Amino acid sequence: VGERHISFLSRGLARGARVLDVGCGRGVLLGALADRGLEVHGVEISAEAARGADPRAHIRIAPRLVEAAYPAGFFDEVVIWHVLEHLDDPRGTIEEVRRILTPGGRLIVAVPNFSSLQARWSDAAWFHLDLPRHLYQFPLAALRRLLEGCGFDVESDHHFSLRQNPFGWIQSALNRLTFLPRNGLYVLLHRRATGEGAPYDRRTRLWLWLALGVGAPVAALLTLLETLLRSGATVHVVARRRDA
């Protein structure tokens, strides 16, 4: 999955092209892109969040993209991967991206799709609502309007995500069961991955593990269905800077 992701982000870029990851964290994407011969840059609001980043990544710490003070026309590609929904000024961020992209430069944005089949079925139980961390929710049509209104031409939108969408079906279904903790499966898996102590009582953990095992095949089928209907629970959009 990770290899497919990096191949998508680097497609069509010449060796040495400059790529910026907005909200880069520890620069996991940047390290993989550097392996492909790209010049990689990142912006992060927290020095702690960026600790341990690949030394090849040029990372600036700034509360907003505009305050990172990049030169105009500096980047060939900017990636905003599941970050835009966390920002207090999405429009201002997109406008700044246009300024720092080269003419015809590429922007790739990934967000939860508030107009998706999964979101509409789940309603308030939707896993990707992620309140209160997500400050904005983007229906795909609204994201396209935002990009076009900020001087971009949308080239394509992509609805399949094996990393995000099947799990969203399982956890959203569990969130509809009031006797289980909200996003409990996510918390359980996260704590297991980080080596923290197991949360919840034994009965609750059994329910969650059972749901994962039984729900995974169903969730995979639903993910294929939503992809065919072009209604993915998360989407990523490719756009180009429009120039007069």
Side-chain angles (χ1 to χ4, degrees):
V1 172
E3 182 64 23
R4 180 176 177 270
H5 185 194
I6 296 303
S7 295
F8 179 84
L9 295 180
S10 59
R11 189 176 303 155
L13 293 176
R15 190 172 185 84
R18 291 194 187 109
V19 179
L20 173 67
D21 184 8
V22 178
C24 63
R26 294 182 294 106
V28 174
L29 286 182
L30 297 178
L33 291 170
D35 289 341
R36 295 186 174 230
L38 302 175
E39 182 182 315
V40 294
H41 298 254
V43 175
E44 182 54 65
I45 63 170
S46 164
E48 183 64 29
R51 190 182 302 278
D54 192 298
R56 295 171 294 177
H58 308 281
I59 296 178
R60 298 187 183 184
I61 306 301
R64 297 190 180 203
L65 177 58
V66 67
E67 294 178 53
Y70 290 108
F74 190 67
F75 292 105
D76 301 291
E77 177 175 283
V78 174
V79 178
I80 309 179
W81 198 266
H82 287 284
V83 169
L84 194 66
E85 61 272 22
H86 295 269
L87 304 181
D88 61 5
D89 185 14
R91 179 176 292 276
T93 301
I94 298 298
E95 289 172 345
E96 176 64 5
V97 168
R98 187 186 185 282
R99 187 188 71 81
I100 62 179
L101 271 174
T102 58
R106 184 167 65 190
L107 168 62
I108 301 178
V109 183
V111 295
N113 179 10
F114 194 61
S115 57
S116 66
L117 182 66
Q118 187 181 113
R120 286 180 280 131
W121 176 80
S122 305
D123 197 44
W126 192 35
F127 170 64
H128 295 293
L129 280 177
D130 200 6
L131 301 172
R133 301 193 315 136
H134 287 184
L135 304 181
Y136 288 87
Q137 301 294 337
F138 294 95
L140 176 56
L143 177 61
R144 293 178 68 104
R145 284 197 302 271
L146 174 63
L147 296 175
E148 290 163 358
C150 291
F152 286 88
D153 292 320
V154 175
E155 290 188 339
S156 58
D157 51 72
H158 305 261
H159 294 258
F160 181 76
S161 172
L162 189 60
R163 179 175 285 163
Q164 300 275 351
N165 296 356
F167 184 81
W169 280 110
I170 298 171
Q171 185 60 80
S172 298
L174 289 172
N175 285 347
R176 298 181 67 164
L177 302 176
T178 57
F179 65 89
L180 290 174
R182 185 177 180 90
N183 294 338
L185 181 59
Y186 173 82
V187 172
L188 180 65
L189 293 173
H190 180 74
R191 289 205 177 185
R192 182 183 177 89
T194 57
E196 300 177 57
Y200 316 128
D201 57 53
R202 188 170 182 273
R203 179 175 174 273
T204 299
R205 295 199 305 272
L206 182 61
W207 266 102
L208 295 173
W209 285 121
L210 182 63
L212 179 62
V214 173
V218 178
L221 290 173
L222 289 171
T223 296
L224 291 175
L225 175 63
E226 68 182 5
T227 302
L228 291 172
L229 294 175
R230 300 193 60 76
S231 186
T234 66
V235 293
H236 46 283
V237 175
V238 179
R240 294 272 179 186
R241 172 178 153 171
R242 185 191 312 129
D243 292 285

